[in-house]
Amino acid sequence: MNSLVDKRFELADQSRFDADEVVRPNISYWQDAWRRLKKNKLALLSMAVLIILFVMSMIGPGLSGQNYTTLTPEIKNLPPDSTYWLGTDYLGRDLFSRLWKGLRFSIFVATVAATLKVVIGCIYGAVMAYLGGFVDDVMMRIVEVLNSIPYLIVTLIILVVLGNGYLPLLFALCITNWTSTARMVRGQILKLRESEYIMASSALGASTTRVIAKHLIPNTLSLIILDMATSIPHIIFDETILSFLGIGLQPPAFSLGTLLSAGQEAMAFYPAHLLFPSLLLCLLVLAFNILGDGLRDALDPQLRD
Amino acid sequence: MAKYIIRRLLEMLITLFLIVTATFFLLSAIPGNALTSKIAKLPKTVQTKIIQKYGYDRPVIERYVITMKGLIIKGDFGESIIRPGETFAKNLKAKLPVTIRLSIQQILLGVTAGILLGIIAAMKRGSYWDKLILVGAMFLVSMPSLVISLLLQKYCANGDILKLPIIGWPKGKELWLGGWKYTILPTIAGSCSFIAYYSRLTKTSMLESINQEYTLTARAKGLSEMQIVKNHVIRNSFIPIITVLPSTVAGILTGSLFIERVFSIPGMGRYYIEAVQGRDIPIVLAGTTFYAIITVITMLITDILYGIVDPRIKIGAGK
C-alpha cells in the first residue's frame, strides 16, 4: 500500500510558484522606443547625416577660409578649384561657405519655428480640451478660419504686413502651422479623458496633477514629438519657397532658398550654382523624413503595418 | 441633406467675412503701400489728389465700409494701384483658365499615378516593386517641388535631354487643349509630391482593408483576387483618399505660387505674388478672398463626398 508521504503531494513543476515574478528588467516606454529606433539602421543613418549637416552648418562657412560676404567682381563665377572648392557666385563670393551658411539659416528657422508651433499648439489645444463648451467652440472656429486659406497665403500676408526679416519670417511660419498641433492635442486629450485607465486612476484617488503628469503628458508626448519631426520638412519647404520668391529675408541674410533663386538665374551657364543647393536641400529633407518615419515606428508600434 | 448644405453655406459666408475683414485690417496696417512710392516724385497737390482718388485719406473704418460696399454691390475690391484701371475680376478672366488647366493636369497626373502605384505596391506587397515604389515615394516626398521644377527646367528643357521650351504657356486657341510641350514640365513638377503622397496613402489604406474580415469573407466564398480588390478593397480604401482632397487642392494653389514663377506661366499664382511683392493692396485682398473661397468650397464638397463614398457616415446628423 502506498503511504501518504508529503513528497507525493509536491508540485511537479516548482517554477510555477514564481510565475508572477518579474523576471525581465523593467523597460520604460522611452527605453523601448530607443531600442526600436536603434534597430532601424536607416533612421540611425539619417540621424548621423543630420548631425553631420548640423556640425557642417556650424563650422562649414569658415572651413575654406575664403570670404563669402564681401563682393569681389574680379573673381566672379569661378569654376570649382583648390581655393574655391565649389567655385564662386555671380558676385565673387565663395559658394562652399555660402552653402553651409544658408543651410545654417534653414536649419535654424525650421527648428525654431517647429518648436514654437508645438508649444503654441499644445497650449491652445490643451486649453480647448480643458475648458470645453463655448470657449472650445470659439477657439475651434478660429482654427477653422485659419485653415480655410492655404497656409502659404497667410504667411505671405503676414510678411507683407510685418516686412522682411528674421523675426517676421519666424512669426509668419508659425502663424498657421500650430493649428494642426492644437487639433491633435485637443483630440488626444479628449480621447484620453474618456479612457478607462484614467478613470481607474482617478477612482483610486489620483489627483489631477498626478493624472496630468502620469497619464496625459506621457501619452501625448510621443504624438507631439512626431508632429514636430514631420513638420520640420514642411517648414523647410515653406521657408525655401518664400526665400526663393524674394519674400521673407532681407539681404545680406540668405538661406538655401535664396541660393536656389540665384542658382536659377545662373543655371544656363553655371549649373553648379543650382545643383549644390538643390542637393543639400534634398539631403536635409530626406534625412528629416526618414528619421521622422523611424520615430513614428519607434514611438507608436501600433501604427506599424 | 439640403438643410445641412444650407447650414454649411451660411457658415462659409461667415468664415469668408471674417477672412476678408481680418485681411483688410492687416493690410491697412502697412505703413507704406504701393501708392506712397508711386507718387513720391509728384507735386504735393497731385499727391493729395491721387490719395483722395484711392480713398487713402479717410480713416480705416470708413475705407473698410466703402470696400465692403463695393464688394457687395460690384463684387470687386477696387482698382489696382500698380496698374491703374485694372481690377482683379478683369485679370481673373485671363489668368484663371491658365491656372485651372495647370491644376487639372497636375491633379490628374499626380492622383491617378499615385493611386495606381499605391495599388500595385499593396497588391505585390513585399516584392521588389513594392520596395521600389516605397523608396521612390520617399525620394519624391523629400524633393521640394521647387527643386524638382528647377532641376527639370535645367536638365529636361532646351535640348539637353528633351527639346521642351524653358518657359511660357500656350495662348489663344491652344489655351485649353494643345501647346502640350509647354505644359509637360510644370505638370510633372507640380504632381511629383502628389504621386508620392497618394501612393503611400493608397498603399496603407489598402493594406488596412485587405486585413479586414469582409475581405476574408470574400476570399472564403471564392471570389477571384481581381473581384476582391475591385469590389471590396479599393472601394473601402477610397475613404481616406477622399478626405485628403482639400489639402491637395490647397497644395496645388500654393504650388502654383512658385511653379508659375519658375516657368513664367501667366496664371493666378504669379499675378498674386506680383501683387504681394508690389504691396498692391486691393489685388492682394481680392486674391486672398479668391483663394479662401476655393478652399472653403473644396472643404464643403469633400464633406458631401464623404457621405456618398461611405454610406456609414451620415452627414448632418447632429452630434
Side-chain angles (χ1 to χ4, degrees), chain A residues 266-284:
Chain A
M267 75 179 178
F269 305 107
Y270 310 104
H273 294 187
L274 175 65
L275 206 56
F276 291 124
S278 308
L279 287 179
L280 198 56
L281 187 63
C282 291
L283 188 66
L284 179 68

Side-chain angles (χ1 to χ4, degrees), chain A residues 137 141 144-145 147-154 156-164 237 240-241 244-247 257 260-261 264 267-272 274-275 277-279 281-283 285-287 289-291 293 296 305, chain B residues 11 14-15 18-19 23 26-27 29-31 138-147 150-151 153-155 166 200 203-204 207 250 253-255 257-258 261-263 272-273 276-277 279 284 287-288 291-293 295-296 299 319:
Chain A
D137 281 348
R141 183 45 55 94
E144 270 166 28
V145 169
N147 276 343
S148 20
I149 322 179
Y151 59 91
L152 205 60
I153 305 250
V154 185
L156 279 175
I157 291 181
I158 298 294
L159 280 173
V160 168
V161 174
L162 294 180
N164 292 347
F237 277 25
T240 318
I241 292 170
F244 176 79
L245 294 172
I247 302 164
L260 279 179
S261 163
Q264 191 204 13
M267 75 179 178
F269 305 107
Y270 310 104
L274 175 65
L275 206 56
S278 308
L279 287 179
L281 187 63
C282 291
L283 188 66
V285 178
L286 187 68
N289 273 336
I290 293 178
L291 183 64
D293 272 14
R296 190 185 57 214
D305 45 10
Chain B
E11 278 179 12
I14 297 174
T15 310
L18 287 176
I19 290 171
T23 318
L26 273 176
L27 287 177
I30 310 178
M138 194 68 208
F139 269 99
L140 280 186
V141 161
S142 305
M143 277 179 75
S145 337
L146 177 63
V147 170
L150 289 175
L151 291 181
Q153 196 181 33
K154 168 67 193 153
Y155 292 104
I166 298 182
R200 286 183 1 153
K203 192 198 160 191
T204 341
L207 285 184
L253 289 181
T254 15
L257 292 181
F258 61 88
R261 163 80 163 254
V262 171
F263 291 99
Y272 183 76
I273 291 289
V276 165
Q277 281 168 338
R279 317 224 148 167
V284 175
T288 311
Y291 281 122
I293 291 174
T295 323
V296 172
M299 280 179 179
K319 281 168 196 169

Side-chain angles (χ1 to χ4, degrees), chain B residues 87-106:
Chain B
T87 58
F88 185 77
K90 228 188 241 174
N91 274 291
L92 200 64
K93 218 181 271 172
K95 296 181 192 296
L96 193 58
V98 174
T99 302
I100 290 184
R101 175 171 174 194
L102 181 61
S103 311
I104 291 176
Q105 283 184 335
Q106 284 176 352

Side-chain angles (χ1 to χ4, degrees), chain B residues 124-297:
Chain B
K124 299 190 184 289
R125 54 193 173 280
S127 71
Y128 282 107
W129 283 110
D130 179 22
K131 280 180 191 128
L132 194 69
I133 291 171
L134 205 69
V135 173
M138 194 68 208
F139 269 99
L140 280 186
V141 161
S142 305
M143 277 179 75
S145 337
L146 177 63
V147 170
I148 296 181
S149 24
L150 289 175
L151 291 181
L152 278 178
Q153 196 181 33
K154 168 67 193 153
Y155 292 104
C156 292
N158 206 23
D160 275 355
I161 302 169
L162 297 162
K163 274 230 167 301
L164 294 168
I166 298 182
I167 53 169
W169 195 254
K171 287 183 209 117
K173 271 188 202 157
E174 291 182 327
L175 189 59
W176 288 105
L177 292 166
W180 298 104
K181 61 178 180 181
Y182 289 105
T183 69
I184 292 176
L185 292 183
T187 308
I188 296 177
S191 59
C192 276
S193 57
F194 298 122
I195 295 180
Y197 184 66
Y198 277 92
S199 62
R200 286 183 1 153
L201 183 72
T202 313
K203 192 198 160 191
T204 341
S205 117
M206 270 187 65
L207 285 184
E208 213 156 84
S209 43
I210 280 176
N211 292 328
Q212 291 288 326
E213 274 159 11
Y214 53 76
T215 315
L216 194 66
T217 314
R219 198 159 276 145
K221 73 183 184 194
L223 290 187
S224 72
E225 192 65 26
M226 197 62 205
Q227 276 173 311
I228 297 175
V229 171
K230 209 178 84 204
N231 296 336
H232 296 276
V233 177
I234 290 188
R235 274 175 161 233
N236 280 295
S237 41
F238 262 119
I239 298 160
I241 295 174
I242 298 275
T243 44
V244 294
L245 212 80
S247 65
T248 305
V249 173
I252 294 263
L253 289 181
T254 15
S256 78
L257 292 181
F258 61 88
I259 286 180
E260 286 179 6
R261 163 80 163 254
V262 171
F263 291 99
S264 282
I265 299 168
M268 289 299 304
R270 214 180 88 189
Y271 181 54
Y272 183 76
I273 291 289
E274 276 166 11
V276 165
Q277 281 168 338
R279 317 224 148 167
D280 197 345
I281 291 174
I283 303 295
V284 175
L285 195 56
T288 311
T289 317
F290 170 76
Y291 281 122
I293 291 174
I294 294 185
T295 323
V296 172
I297 290 177

Side-chain angles (χ1 to χ4, degrees), chain A residues 114-180:
Chain A
T115 317
L116 280 178
K117 158 204 156 94
V118 163
V119 171
I120 298 172
C122 283
I123 295 172
Y124 198 91
V127 168
M128 274 199 288
Y130 181 74
L131 294 177
F134 177 69
V135 182
D136 185 27
D137 281 348
V138 170
M139 289 172 89
M140 203 62 193
R141 183 45 55 94
I142 295 175
V143 168
E144 270 166 28
V145 169
L146 273 176
N147 276 343
S148 20
I149 322 179
Y151 59 91
L152 205 60
I153 305 250
V154 185
T155 315
L156 279 175
I157 291 181
I158 298 294
L159 280 173
V160 168
V161 174
L162 294 180
N164 292 347
Y166 286 79
L167 284 177
L169 184 64
L170 277 178
F171 180 71
L173 283 172
C174 297
I175 191 96
T176 49
N177 266 325
W178 59 268
T179 53
S180 60

